[in-house]
Amino acid sequence: MTPIKLSQIRNIGIMAHIDAGKTTVTERILYYTGRSHKLGEVHDGEAVMDWMPDEQERGITITSAVTTCDWKNSRIQVIDTPGHVDFTIEVERSLRVLDGAIGVFCAVGGVQPQSETVWRQADRYHVPKIAFINKMDRIGANFQGVVQQIREKLGANPVPVALPMGSEDRFVGMIDLIRMKALVWDDESPGANYSEGDIPEDMMEEVRTAREKLLESVAETDDTLMEKYLSEETFSEEEIMESLRRATIDLTMVPVLCGSALKNKGIQPLLDAIQAFLPSPADVPPVEGVIPGTEDKVHFPPKSAEPLSALIFKVAMPEGRKLVYARIYSGKLKEGDEVFNPTLNRKERVSRILLMHANKKQRIPDAGPGSLVGLVGLKDSATGDTLCSPAHPVMLERIDIYEPVISLAIEPKTHADQEKLEQVTAKLLDEDPTLRMKQDPDTGQTILSGMGELHLEVIVSRMSREFNTQVNVGRPQVVHRETLAADSKGEAVFDREITGIRHYGRIVLMLRPLQRGTGIRISSRLSEGLLRRELMAAAEKGIREAFGAGPMMGYPTTDLEAVLLEAEVREGCDTELAFTVSASMACRQAMVQGQGLLLEPIMNVEIFVPEDHMGEVIGDINSRGGKIEGITPKSGIQEIQAIVPLKKMFGYATDLRSATQGRGNYTMVFSHFDAP
């Protein structure tokens, strides 16, 4: 591809709830930018971005895919992310390295649970967004209703820059509120041709109202424009576009467009909006990191002359070979370069740099700031690691990793599978940071833990398909936590001579239960200066180690505060080892003597059912020990919000389909751990 200025690059993600049409939008973007020459359909299993066999079979996105395309004078690097909650880490790590995002919303479903989750993730990383209300051709489509939900549920400031012309089977195009033109798509060509014309008379009142709201929103971004607005002066297109761009990048406004990706309508204006409103790498603040071993912050502007700084956001194992996806923030990376990984404190060599198009690769000699590239040759680097210049080490903010909530036992079917299983699981663990694997010391089984039933189902399927490793699978087991129901005290002394050195430490502490969802805390009531900083850190380390396994069933503990009450030191013998061990022993003693409590994962469940099946569905949720939190009527369906123990939700998809004649669906997100 030809070189391009930094200001012309757009790194964007496409994010939404499952089935809102993300991948179809991405396929249309590829088609209209000339990147692909055939319209790939998700329902036919032919989408370019859903290239994995499991994705094609299930009709859903499982792994985020990267591609690059050109539109007018911009280069758009796109990441298509999954919508299913089981694969939310794919969204998390993609958003971490993106400069902008498109939130795709179903015109019927509106803001659904996973839409909220990914939107909050984008907010956490300060990612500017535009909204695309898709499926305007569906029965029950409600453009203004979805805009209102974006405002209320997401706390955003949505500003429509387009209005739909018609809806459901009468949806033909949209009104461009900036240029005040009607855009009508030709159904004969697959969305490539559309005509611009005058706004229909019967829509003029609605259009004037929407245009007035747009101008009012634009005026609020700038004092000069507010004066023009109050003086009823005319705004130029350039003024509106510049103000919208500024407000979008500042996260104070979300431009809203509409269309129907499946019917090939509304994609070209969406591409124009990406170019016009979303930031280039030059528009976002310089990347911030810390110098390893210190707390000194450094900033690297997105310039080739700056030292190298890049973040690994994904690891893949195509055909068993390690491929690392990285975002380059500053500096230039060339084939054969030696890079430093401060997380591992070692150097690695980049043997090849690849420009990615889903699972296809194009070798390139180098890459500069703003690039999303695949790297080959890095043996040990993992998701969240920083790559930098050996002469200028820096560590960028890591990517949040989620804890698994569900486990199942797997065992190899044959001796040949036994030999391969360890290598296969190591590769899958490299790829997926939310996956956990451990050996059960009692049964000898391998325990696989993940984010949900579908997550684990896909992993087992990939073992068979990609690595030809067959396994027997046990019933899914819920991952519990442990806590205490009341205060408990523990005391321990460590007094021992090891290799001629005397180690002595005595700790008295109390464990106090905390409110659900609080996590772990450590505090001290020791007199100031009694324990020097190294010994206090050692004691905290011992307590955290003890919290790793509860006394009841060995699950990690949570919602507890350890309060240090007493400590005894002996000059010359007060070692870090002594206080790590004594604190750990005191903590374990307090847990054993305390009133243990087993906690199970509780899920937030949202169920969408036709009204005539609602009673049956509510009755079923109650029988599972669930609690109905609310019921919201929507067009033609009812949305039921409930909290239900995870262990009672296995196989719920099948039961819901049976109860609603296949018309119901649901989403489930982890909420908190609580007592049964």
Side-chain angles (χ1 to χ4, degrees):
M1 284 191 169
T2 54
I4 198 161
K5 292 179 182 175
L6 192 68
S7 60
Q8 294 171 300
I9 294 173
R10 300 290 182 273
N11 288 322
I12 65 157
I14 300 190
M15 59 183 198
H17 186 85
I18 190 168
D19 260 356
K22 296 176 308 303
T23 301
T24 306
V25 169
T26 310
E27 294 297 320
R28 298 311 186 261
I29 286 174
L30 297 181
Y31 181 75
Y32 296 125
T33 57
R35 192 68 177 87
S36 60
H37 303 288
K38 178 176 178 289
L39 286 171
E41 301 293 4
V42 175
H43 53 267
D44 293 336
E46 294 181 355
V48 173
M49 303 299 273
D50 286 352
W51 55 270
M52 286 172 60
D54 278 291
E55 293 179 313
Q56 292 167 350
E57 275 184 14
R58 299 167 196 271
I60 62 169
T61 303
I62 290 169
T63 181
S64 52
V66 182
T67 190
T68 304
C69 54
D70 289 341
W71 177 251
K72 296 182 179 176
N73 64 344
S74 291
R75 176 155 301 160
I76 303 173
Q77 299 183 113
V78 185
I79 301 183
D80 176 30
T81 64
H84 198 285
V85 66
D86 284 16
F87 310 106
T88 194
I89 184 62
E90 293 285 341
V91 187
E92 182 82 31
R93 57 189 179 181
S94 300
L95 287 171
R96 171 66 180 82
V97 297
L98 291 171
D99 300 322
I102 303 169
V104 178
F105 299 92
C106 172
V108 181
V111 177
Q112 295 166 285
Q114 188 64 2
S115 308
E116 291 190 59
T117 302
V118 295
W119 196 274
R120 307 279 180 231
Q121 288 172 313
D123 281 344
R124 188 161 68 250
Y125 291 121
H126 307 292
V127 177
K129 298 167 283 290
I130 57 180
F132 181 72
I133 299 177
N134 191 28
K135 302 192 179 184
M136 283 302 305
D137 58 311
R138 285 266 307 272
I139 294 172
N142 184 348
F143 177 80
Q144 293 297 349
V146 179
V147 172
Q148 188 62 24
Q149 285 185 39
I150 293 172
R151 180 175 288 107
E152 291 172 357
K153 288 191 173 185
L154 304 178
N157 178 24
V159 177
V161 294
L163 281 184
M165 291 180 68
S167 65
E168 301 179 350
D169 57 353
R170 299 185 305 281
F171 176 67
V172 294
M174 54 181 265
I175 306 293
D176 183 336
L177 293 174
I178 298 173
R179 296 187 300 127
M180 291 297 279
K181 293 285 184 184
L183 311 182
V184 179
W185 270 261
D186 173 12
D187 285 333
E188 297 304 313
S189 67
N193 300 325
Y194 63 94
S195 58
E196 291 187 4
D198 294 333
I199 298 165
E201 274 302 318
D202 61 345
M203 287 192 70
M204 279 308 293
E205 189 174 338
E206 182 188 357
V207 170
R208 284 195 194 100
T209 304
R211 166 86 172 181
E212 192 64 27
K213 285 182 181 174
L214 169 63
L215 296 180
E216 187 181 332
S217 299
V218 164
E220 287 172 355
T221 66
D222 186 276
D223 290 342
T224 307
L225 293 179
M226 180 57 82
E227 283 179 24
K228 285 187 78 170
Y229 177 73
L230 294 173
S231 305
E232 298 186 358
E233 293 179 41
T234 306
F235 286 14
S236 68
E237 280 182 30
E238 290 73 22
E239 285 176 323
I240 297 172
M241 298 288 275
E242 284 172 16
S243 299
L244 283 169
R245 177 177 177 77
R246 225 175 17 248
T248 304
I249 293 172
D250 290 345
L251 305 181
T252 56
M253 197 180 289
V254 178
V256 183
L257 295 97
C258 62
S260 169
L262 189 63
K263 296 293 175 66
N264 311 309
K265 294 171 183 172
I267 301 301
Q268 294 92 334
L270 177 62
L271 284 162
D272 288 338
I274 292 168
Q275 183 184 37
F277 305 135
L278 291 180
S280 73
D283 296 318
V284 296
V287 68
E288 180 182 279
V290 295
I291 298 172
T294 74
E295 295 183 3
D296 298 338
K297 293 182 179 178
V298 285
H299 296 84
F300 289 148
K303 295 178 181 175
S304 298
E306 291 287 324
L308 175 70
S309 65
L311 186 74
I312 296 172
F313 66 94
K314 181 179 169 70
V315 173
M317 290 284 180
E319 300 166 355
R321 298 185 184 90
K322 188 167 186 174
L323 173 64
V324 167
Y325 289 77
R327 159 74 189 260
I328 300 174
Y329 286 97
S330 64
K332 197 158 195 172
L333 185 63
K334 297 178 183 175
E335 277 192 354
D337 275 0
E338 194 174 60
V339 294
F340 181 64
N341 182 329
T343 309
L344 303 174
N345 196 27
R346 74 176 68 147
K347 295 176 183 177
E348 297 215 72
R349 190 171 296 280
V350 176
S351 59
R352 277 186 291 165
I353 303 174
L354 306 170
L355 198 63
M356 303 302 300
H357 176 48
N359 62 331
K360 297 181 177 65
K361 312 170 188 74
Q362 177 188 338
R363 193 167 176 175
I364 53 176
D366 55 47
S371 300
L372 299 174
V373 291
L375 305 176
V376 178
L378 304 178
K379 293 183 173 62
D380 301 310
S381 296
T383 298
D385 287 359
T386 301
L387 301 177
C388 57
S389 161
H392 299 89
V394 64
M395 189 175 288
L396 306 180
E397 181 191 353
R398 292 185 64 82
I399 296 168
D400 286 342
I401 303 299
Y402 295 86
E403 288 300 315
V405 296
I406 189 169
S407 300
L408 52 79
I410 59 171
E411 55 185 28
K413 285 189 175 179
T414 67
H415 182 68
D417 292 326
Q418 170 76 57
E419 292 175 345
K420 288 190 288 185
L421 185 60
E422 194 172 325
Q423 291 179 324
V424 170
T425 53
K427 288 176 179 177
L428 291 169
L429 289 169
D430 266 352
E431 275 195 18
D432 190 344
T434 60
L435 197 63
R436 301 283 191 280
M437 201 85 70
K438 68 175 182 180
Q439 290 292 123
D440 188 317
D442 298 324
T443 64
Q445 289 177 308
T446 300
I447 306 298
L448 189 66
S449 302
M451 300 302 292
E453 278 185 282
L454 181 60
H455 184 202
L456 296 181
E457 195 180 307
V458 167
I459 292 294
V460 171
S461 170
R462 289 186 60 201
M463 285 181 178
S464 171
R465 284 180 192 270
E466 296 177 32
F467 301 100
N468 198 26
T469 303
Q470 311 301 321
V471 293
N472 293 317
V473 178
R475 177 176 161 77
Q477 298 294 315
V478 172
V479 178
H480 290 75
R481 293 287 184 270
E482 295 184 29
T483 191
L484 296 179
D487 293 0
S488 181
K489 204 170 178 181
E491 177 179 356
V493 176
F494 184 79
D495 186 3
R496 194 169 299 174
E497 188 173 308
I498 302 173
T499 61
I501 300 172
R502 194 80 187 171
H503 299 268
Y504 180 86
R506 173 177 166 268
I507 288 286
V508 181
L509 55 75
M510 179 175 66
L511 298 184
R512 297 173 51 228
L514 298 173
Q515 189 176 348
R516 294 287 170 264
T518 307
I520 294 298
R521 285 186 197 157
I522 299 173
S523 61
S524 172
R525 292 184 190 167
L526 302 176
S527 56
E528 196 172 340
L530 176 61
L531 286 187
R532 62 180 189 272
R533 192 169 63 179
E534 295 85 356
L535 298 184
M536 181 63 81
E540 288 188 10
K541 179 187 173 189
I543 292 167
R544 292 191 185 281
E545 286 175 0
F547 278 151
M552 298 174 71
M553 297 178 69
Y555 289 114
T557 56
T558 189
D559 301 340
L560 284 176
E561 180 179 23
V563 185
L564 291 169
L565 301 176
E566 297 177 31
E568 186 183 340
V569 295
R570 288 186 182 171
E571 197 170 339
C573 308
D574 51 349
T575 63
E576 291 179 34
L577 172 65
F579 279 88
T580 298
V581 176
S582 60
S584 179
M585 289 165 58
C587 189
R588 289 184 196 282
Q589 184 193 76
M591 287 194 290
V592 170
Q593 291 177 351
Q595 187 182 338
L597 197 60
L598 198 63
L599 305 178
E600 64 179 351
I602 306 295
M603 312 301 286
N604 267 331
V605 183
E606 296 210 0
I607 310 155
F608 301 87
V609 295
E611 195 165 348
D612 48 347
H613 295 289
M614 195 167 69
E616 195 174 346
V617 170
I618 289 174
D620 182 51
I621 287 293
N622 289 333
S623 72
R624 295 171 188 268
K627 180 184 173 188
I628 304 297
E629 300 270 276
I631 299 171
T632 308
K634 293 197 169 183
S635 51
I637 58 170
Q638 298 286 330
E639 179 186 330
I640 302 169
Q641 297 98 27
I643 54 170
V644 191
L646 174 61
K647 68 182 179 186
K648 298 294 182 72
M649 291 299 289
F650 292 132
Y652 183 64
T654 305
D655 294 342
L656 181 63
R657 279 197 293 268
S658 301
T660 61
Q661 299 173 356
R663 295 164 65 197
N665 62 72
Y666 79 104
T667 59
M668 186 167 68
V669 183
F670 172 73
S671 173
H672 63 282
F673 284 97
D674 209 343

